[in-house]
Amino acid sequence: MSRALSLWILGYALSGCSVTALAERERTTAVNECTSSSDCGNGFCSEGACLARPAQVSLEHVLFELTPHSTATGFGGKPVYLDADIPLSGEFDLDFGGFAEITVTARVPEACRGASFVSYQEPAGSVPVVADTLPARFTLIPSVGRLGLVADEYRAEVNTELLEAGNDPLPHAVRFRGALGAYDVYVEPRALSASLANDDLLRSKCTLPPQLIRQQPLGSSALAPLTVKLPSPASLGVQVRLPTAYSLEKWTVDLVEPDGGRLISTTQTIPADAKSPYDLDPPLYFYPVWTYGNPDADTSSTELVRLSPPAGLSAPTFYYQRKTVEIFDRGSAVIEPPPALSVPVSFEGQVLGAGDSRPLSARVLLTATELANVGSGVSATFEARAQTDRNGRFTVALLPGKYRVRATPAENVDEYAGAEALWEVAETPRRQTGRTLELPARIELRGRAVFSWNNSGVFGALVAVEPSKVGAGSSLLTRALGAAPPAPRFALGSISNVSGQFSVGSDFGKVDFSVRPPDASKLPWFVMAGVDLATDLESPKQIAPVALPLPIRLEGDVRIANAPRRAVELYPARYRPAQSRLRAYVLLDAEGQATRTVSEARSALPIAETRVGAGDRYTLFLPASVNLPVKTLN
């Protein structure tokens, strides 16, 4: 056992709350109830429930998520969020920002007012600028998505059919019904048309690449216009030093942002007659990623120059950080792919159950961590995916090199855990077989959920084991090079034993563990974040009693702003929050510690959940404390 203590043998001095024994055998769940504060250990009794005293409360800031009920069709089923400091207990109304009709336009730079763009109706047609706006595709991604929360995208493209049919010109726009809040806005302008009016000078200024704007706030009114003002793009001249051992014909060069890998530039294709050194003509036009309210936040030249093979060719994709290839002048880059590429080999592997050698159905991901003939300092990515057959076998084409191989059992193979291995693929022979990846049995976690003050059991609750939110985010290259940690599958168990005994199977890896009593129990969740289930643990693993903390109780009205008054009067069920799901999260920084600032947060950890009542009121019992330090179970 290492210095990181065994799970929950941590001596958390968490105060519990009383569960009366009356009619316990008839109950399906433990209930938080009391007649006096003497029933509550170190807590106090309030309105028949045990609560934490102020000195025991460390929870200060919560992100609330309201997901409208399916009957609330006026809101489209999209969640809304409220970020707030919370009181120690008591009345606390929740006023969510609501929904709006969002109109989005993109305004061209002044020099591009005379430009025309390709038509999707007529191959040789053109679409003009109207009222300084241009046709484009828009994608709005809720910024909370980077915290691991629901982030359904809104996506639409400007329809120019009526304009091209001779109707009165209206500004090029798209419309969404969406939740108010902060969005990452991705704009993809149409390409310039072949019109003679688009001369060389105009093309040099108005070849507009995609643009990504992060954390763009979206108004506070029922009509929320959003105009994206496109500046003149920056340019990056790229010289490609062509290899002699293989051809780069039809390979493409572009720029992507380093986090999500979204395209942020125009794309150039290397022609068959290119001679080395080959200078892209025209250069790449691009927009640096911009964060709303902080225009200098993303000017460190961290964009990635990407050199991609044509579809169907088994070859790596090369990435170069812009600031490392702008050797002589800013705005001018030189990239040099490796002098030679290896020939792909046919590779056959098998996935078996450890111990019984049973062929298993599994998804297999093979990610190159290092490729043959690719020197240091060059990021070369390559991956292959496969599904095993009934004999547990799979066959893929691989480039020689070193691979991180991960296998995830099929949904109906729940007794085995996912596993990974490092395999090396040689350049010869051209057909390689005999590799086996064994999947271990899932680790069984056994324990007892209790109230710490009297050791009485918590029953009727769910036990959840899910991929950890701590340090969950990773960059494009971290993922593409196989360096991101594996994600254990979500596992769920239940506690039916009145003593609080539970057993739940889990994959290995970093997980968040929680005990979730039902809403009506007036009990808080127990949450432990960032627990490392090491692969050398013996199963079953008996863990120390899980002590639920005393709760704090928040209650109040739930309101959604901007609901159309007349529609609410006619169709109240469509626009009211009643029966909607209300969930609370604590914000975590990169180290897994609680933070009160959304901009500093890297993830959001769920800590409580309820349903809004028929009168649009809620009552939520939150844990007074959450166990956030990362612990290791081994």
Side-chain angles (χ1 to χ4, degrees), residues 470 586-595 628-630:
V470 177
V586 62
L587 298 173
L588 304 181
D589 62 17
E591 303 301 321
Q593 302 299 313
T595 177
L628 292 178
V630 178

Side-chain angles (χ1 to χ4, degrees), residues 89-102:
S89 265
E91 193 76 11
F92 187 64
D93 294 342
L94 302 179
D95 290 292
F96 289 90
F99 298 77
E101 295 292 338
I102 305 166

